[in-house]
Amino acid sequence: MPTAALNIPERPANGDNGLSRTVSNSRHDPANSLSTSPQLSFHSPQASYAGPPKVSAKQLRPFQSQDVKILLLENVNLAGQEILKKQGYQVEALKSSLPEDQLIEKIQDVNVIGIRSKTQLSANVLKHAKNLIVIGCFCIGTNQVDLQYAAENGIAVFNSPFSNSRSVAELMIGEIITLARQMADRSMEMHNGVWNKVSNGCWEVRGKTLGIVGYGHVGAQLSVLAEAMGMRVIYYDVINLMGLGTAQQVPNLEALLSGADFVTLHVPEIEETKNMIGEKELSQMRNGAYLLNASRGSVVDIAALIAAMKSGKIAGAALDVYPNEPGKNGEHFNSQLNAWGEELRSLKNLILTPHIGGSTEEAQSAIGVEVADALVNYVNFGTTTGAVNMPEVTLRSLTLDEPNHVRVIYIHRNVPGVLRRVNEILGDHNVDKQMTDSRGEVAYLMADISNVNVSEIKDLYQSLEDLGSRIRTRVLY
Ligand SMILES: NC(=O)C1=CN([C@@H]2O[C@H](COP(=O)(O)OP(=O)(O)OC[C@H]3O[C@@H](n4cnc5c(N)ncnc54)[C@H](O)[C@@H]3O)[C@@H](O)[C@H]2O)C=CC1
Ligand SMILES: O=C(O)CCC(=O)C(=O)O
C-alpha cells in the first residue's frame, strides 16, 4: 500500500468498494460482561469512550481496510487481536518486544503499532515510522513512548487507564502477607527439601499500617482491600485526594515512610519519581519495614535497597519492575542486564516477579478489547477520545442517509490563523459540523462536510496538505 493511502482517498470513482457501506460490529458480546467466573471471558466496566459507532452509523474508510498494516508486539491479548482482524486489517502479532534495530526496520511499514510496557518508542524509533498514524499501549503506563514527539508528528497514542488496576492491587495484597510471613523463603526451602518451622520475624498484617505512595487507580483499589484485612492505611500523593474508607492522606513522603510498616509504590515514571526511594528515603522508613514496588523500575534505587536489606533495616521487599527488563520470556535476569542482578537474587525475604502486576486473564482481555476499540475508532472515524497525547475530539457518527459526506481530520500546529484558512478551503462545501481543540503545540480539527463529489476529495486533501501549519491530514468518507 502506498504511504498516503491512509490519508489520500483511493476509492474507485463510483465510491463503492463495499467497505464504506458495511457496518462492522466489533464489540464483544455484552451477555458475558458481568461474569466473574474464571471459565468465562471477563470484560471490564464500560470505559469512558463510547466504543465504535453502532449499527446505524456509516463506516468511514478512505482506504481498503485490508491495506491497514498493524504490528502487535509483546503478546497482545487475542480478544484485542480479533477485533482488529475483524476489521479486515493486516495484523502481525509477535510474542516478544523487538530490539531497537529490528523495531526501526519493521515500524517503517506499519500504520498502527500495539505495544505493552517493554517496547521503547523513542523519537529515534518514531522518526522512521513514516506511515504510522496511531500507537496503542495495551497497558496503563505510557512512559515507554515519546508522547510529545508522537503528537508533534500527528501520531495519536491510546492506553488502557485502569483495566489492570485491580490485578495489580490483588498482587500487592498477596505479597504483603507473603512478606509478613516470610512465605517465599519457606516455600523455597521446602522446594529444596528443607523443613524450617519458624515464627521469628513473622507477623499478622491485621493492625499494621500500609503506606501507599501514589493514590491513583491502583493505590485506591489497594487501599480498600487492605482495610478489609484490618490494616490501617495512609497515603501520599502530589494532589489532594479523598481517602476511601478511613484511609488518611499524609502531607509528605517522609511522613508516609516513617509512619508505615509496609510501603508500596504506585506512581508513574516521570522525572520527579526517578529514584524516589533511595538511601535517604530508606533510612526514613521504620526499622524492619517492608517495601513493595510494582510501578516502574526507575522509582527505586536498587543498590540502596540491597544495602538496606543487608543491614536489616528493611525486613523484606517485593519487586515486580526493574530498570532493565528482558525483552522476552526465557531470557536471563542477571548482572549483564542490571549490574546488581546476582546480588539482588541472593537476598532473603525478597519476592521477585517478572512484571506481572497486570498479567491476569481478566485484565489482559479487558485491555485488549478497550485499546483495540480505541484504535478502530481512530483509524476508521478519527475519534481521539481517550488519547493521552492529543486533544480529545469526536463528532456524532455520519449515518447511511448522508451519502455524499466526508469527514476531514486536520492535525496542525496550534498557531493563529489556521482555522480561517482551513474554513476557506472547507467553505466551498457545506460544513455540517466541526470540532476543534488544542493540547499544547498541537491542535486537532474534525469536520463533516456535505455535497462532496468523490472527484473533489483529492483536491480538498491537497489544499489542506499545502497549508504551512499542517502536521497530518486525513479525509474519511
Ligand atoms: N506492574 C505492573 O504490571 C503495572 C504497573 N503499573 C504502573 O503503576 C503506575 C500507577 O498506576 P495507576 O494507579 O493506574 O496510575 P494513576 O495515574 O491512576 O495514579 C498515579 C498516582 O500517582 C500520583 N503521583 C504522581 N507523581 C507523584 C509523586 N511524585 N509523588 C506522589 N504521588 C505521585 C498521581 O497524582 C496519581 O494519583 C503506572 O503509571 C504504571 O507505571 C500499572 C499497571 C500495571
Ligand atoms: O502488562 C504489561 O505489559 C504492562 C503492565 C504495566 O506495567 C502497565 O500497565 O503500565
Side-chain angles (χ1 to χ4, degrees):
M1 180 178 81
T3 304
L6 283 174
N7 304 323
I8 300 179
E10 289 196 329
R11 232 167 48 184
N14 67 5
D16 187 11
N17 59 10
L19 293 168
S20 63
R21 298 293 178 269
T22 57
V23 176
S24 128
N25 181 9
S26 63
R27 298 293 288 176
H28 51 269
D29 176 6
N32 283 339
S33 65
L34 292 177
S35 168
T36 52
S37 160
Q39 303 306 317
L40 293 173
S41 58
F42 173 85
H43 300 293
S44 68
Q46 276 293 322
S48 52
Y49 67 91
K54 306 284 182 307
V55 254
S56 58
K58 180 166 109 179
Q59 191 79 322
L60 295 174
R61 292 177 180 179
F63 42 79
Q64 302 280 2
S65 56
Q66 63 268 31
D67 288 339
V68 177
K69 286 194 180 161
I70 301 194
L71 176 64
L72 299 178
L73 300 174
E74 303 184 63
N75 206 14
V76 165
N77 186 267
L78 286 177
Q81 292 188 29
E82 279 312 309
I83 287 172
L84 299 169
K85 285 179 185 160
K86 258 194 193 161
Q87 292 293 322
Y89 305 151
Q90 284 180 50
V91 179
E92 182 183 2
L94 303 182
K95 287 207 179 304
S96 66
S97 63
L98 290 173
E100 189 174 88
D101 54 337
Q102 290 176 34
L103 186 58
I104 285 175
E105 183 71 29
K106 279 229 169 239
I107 208 167
Q108 301 184 22
D109 205 28
V110 301
N111 310 114
V112 180
I113 189 166
I115 60 167
R116 287 172 63 183
S117 56
K118 173 68 187 168
T119 305
Q120 299 298 312
L121 294 178
S122 60
N124 187 42
V125 171
L126 291 176
K127 76 176 182 224
H128 298 275
K130 300 293 181 217
N131 297 342
L132 193 68
I133 61 166
V134 58
I135 297 168
C137 297
F138 287 78
C139 55
I140 291 180
T142 52
N143 54 292
Q144 68 281 36
V145 181
D146 190 327
L147 297 175
Q148 185 67 22
Y149 182 92
E152 284 167 3
N153 288 276
I155 303 166
V157 181
F158 293 89
N159 74 337
S160 169
F162 52 76
S163 289
N164 65 16
S165 316
R166 173 69 185 206
S167 300
V168 181
E170 288 189 10
L171 185 70
M172 296 300 101
I173 290 293
E175 291 184 340
I176 289 166
I177 297 175
T178 302
L179 289 174
R181 300 293 295 273
Q182 302 176 1
M183 200 153 48
D185 287 357
R186 294 300 87 78
S187 174
M188 185 81 83
E189 287 155 4
M190 287 293 278
H191 278 279
N192 290 326
V194 177
W195 183 269
N196 188 21
K197 183 172 163 129
V198 290
S199 54
N200 207 9
C202 296
W203 310 96
E204 290 184 355
V205 299
R206 177 174 52 162
K208 306 297 183 299
T209 300
L210 175 65
I212 300 174
V213 183
Y215 202 68
H217 290 106
V218 176
Q221 279 283 319
L222 178 55
S223 170
V224 173
L225 296 176
E227 282 202 339
M229 296 197 303
M231 297 186 84
R232 179 177 163 252
V233 175
I234 57 175
Y235 59 94
Y236 166 63
D237 200 292
V238 281
I239 49 179
N240 279 337
L241 291 163
M242 189 189 73
L244 299 175
T246 58
Q248 285 181 324
Q249 187 156 12
V250 294
N252 52 51
L253 184 58
E254 187 174 354
L256 182 126
L257 297 172
S258 60
D261 303 299
F262 295 82
V263 171
T264 181
L265 308 172
H266 302 289
V267 289
E269 180 181 88
I270 47 175
E271 208 40 48
E272 299 77 46
T273 61
K274 217 170 190 175
N275 285 331
M276 186 180 196
I277 303 295
E279 193 182 338
K280 181 176 122 213
E281 291 74 22
L282 288 160
S283 73
Q284 291 167 346
M285 286 175 67
R286 290 181 170 176
N287 291 335
Y290 303 84
L291 180 72
L292 297 92
N293 184 21
S295 58
R296 285 292 179 261
S298 57
V299 176
V300 175
D301 174 349
I302 306 240
L305 174 65
I306 292 171
M309 288 186 76
K310 281 189 165 166
S311 74
K313 169 80 183 172
I314 300 298
L319 301 178
D320 187 44
V321 287
Y322 311 89
N324 297 308
E325 297 179 0
K328 57 175 186 257
N329 286 349
E331 279 184 6
H332 289 294
F333 182 79
N334 54 27
S335 299
Q336 275 168 332
L337 200 62
N338 296 291
W340 33 253
E342 312 289 356
E343 208 180 353
L344 184 74
R345 282 164 47 190
S346 71
L347 295 173
K348 290 293 226 183
N349 208 18
L350 171 68
I351 304 169
L352 298 175
T353 47
H355 202 149
I356 52 163
S359 293
T360 61
E361 298 283 0
E362 291 94 333
Q364 291 308 310
S365 111
I367 289 173
V369 170
E370 187 178 351
V371 178
D373 276 350
L375 294 175
V376 171
N377 259 348
Y378 186 76
V379 172
N380 290 3
F381 305 101
T383 306
T384 55
T385 310
V388 297
N389 69 335
M390 289 263 176
E392 298 193 74
V393 174
T394 187
L395 289 178
R396 79 164 167 77
S397 306
L398 289 173
T399 66
L400 295 171
D401 305 334
E402 298 167 293
N404 290 324
H405 283 63
V406 300
R407 174 164 291 180
V408 171
I409 290 149
Y410 187 63
I411 310 174
H412 60 93
R413 285 186 291 110
N414 186 18
V415 289
V418 178
L419 289 184
R420 181 170 47 79
R421 277 180 225 114
V422 171
N423 281 317
E424 273 165 16
I425 295 167
L426 302 185
D428 292 341
H429 306 275
N430 185 34
V431 179
D432 280 355
K433 49 192 184 302
Q434 187 177 66
M435 184 177 172
T436 182
D437 199 357
S438 61
R439 185 165 178 167
E441 306 290 299
V442 176
Y444 194 98
L445 175 146
M446 194 191 280
D448 285 347
I449 55 179
S450 56
N451 297 326
V452 185
N453 293 321
V454 172
S455 58
E456 295 171 305
I457 294 176
K458 207 158 189 168
D459 284 346
L460 186 66
Y461 171 84
Q462 200 53 52
S463 308
L464 291 167
E465 278 288 277
D466 290 344
L467 295 179
S469 52
R470 161 250 181 234
I471 293 177
R472 187 185 294 273
T473 312
R474 298 174 67 207
V475 182
L476 305 173
Y477 61 107

